[in-house]
Amino acid sequence: MHTAFDTTTRFDHRIDHVWTALTDWDRLGDWMPGVTSASGPDEPADGDELALTMQRGDRVSVLTEWRPTTTMAFRSTTGPVAAEYRYELTRVDETTTDVRITGRCAVRGPMRLAAPLIRRTLRTTDGDQLARLRDLMDGRRSR
């Protein structure tokens, strides 16, 4: 997989509050572009599935890493394109949290020729997810 984007955003919120907002499946569509609704298990674990209703159809993502309050990663595959998003939370102090998102993708077959364009599209579409989540938590309108 090749990295499409890797960014860190600071939240003026406690790490447990950020984790709760990040993993609130009912609100995922409020800050994750393209998602209109999502559902997942109440107590997720590695290998569990998230059902995402997207503007362009349904998708199932698989949780590849689940470490409560520190790490969540999931992978989605659509045809020859696999995308993985990894979120890492770091406690800065009692009321401040840094969240890092890394978006990666792999493209198989003839579509590999379009891989740079696909990575740029992921970066453009999803690179500001954390800023959107922070705005939501801060009571501001999303970008």
Side-chain angles (χ1 to χ4, degrees):
M1 287 212 171
H2 296 278
T3 300
F5 60 94
D6 186 342
T7 186
T8 300
T9 302
R10 180 155 286 178
F11 288 72
D12 293 325
H13 299 276
R14 294 181 6 198
I15 194 167
D16 57 322
H17 291 175
V18 177
W19 179 259
T20 298
L22 181 70
T23 60
D24 182 351
W25 311 135
D26 292 336
R27 303 285 314 263
L28 208 63
D30 292 343
W31 58 270
M32 189 177 282
V35 174
T36 56
S37 67
S39 63
D42 290 335
E43 296 189 29
D46 292 0
D48 282 348
E49 293 182 346
L50 299 177
L52 305 175
T53 300
M54 310 291 290
Q55 291 171 347
R56 297 183 184 177
D58 295 342
R59 179 175 302 154
V60 173
S61 295
V62 177
L63 288 168
T64 56
E65 190 174 0
W66 182 264
R67 306 293 172 266
T69 70
T70 63
T71 310
M72 174 180 71
F74 58 87
R75 180 177 291 185
S76 300
T77 303
T78 304
V81 180
E84 182 175 86
Y85 291 74
R86 186 170 197 273
Y87 303 83
E88 299 173 76
L89 286 71
T90 304
R91 180 182 182 272
V92 176
D93 60 36
E94 189 61 33
T95 60
T96 309
T97 305
D98 282 344
V99 184
R100 179 181 181 190
I101 181 175
T102 306
R104 298 168 39 102
C105 74
V107 184
R108 297 185 327 264
M111 285 291 294
R112 286 181 30 204
L113 295 172
L117 176 62
I118 292 168
R119 285 192 301 273
R120 184 171 61 231
T121 300
L122 290 176
R123 182 173 44 255
T124 302
T125 303
D126 292 328
D128 69 345
Q129 280 186 15
L130 296 178
R132 289 171 177 265
L133 178 60
R134 183 184 58 204
D135 288 351
L136 180 68
M137 292 183 71
D138 290 347
R140 293 190 299 254
R141 292 188 72 129
S142 193
R143 299 163 195 253

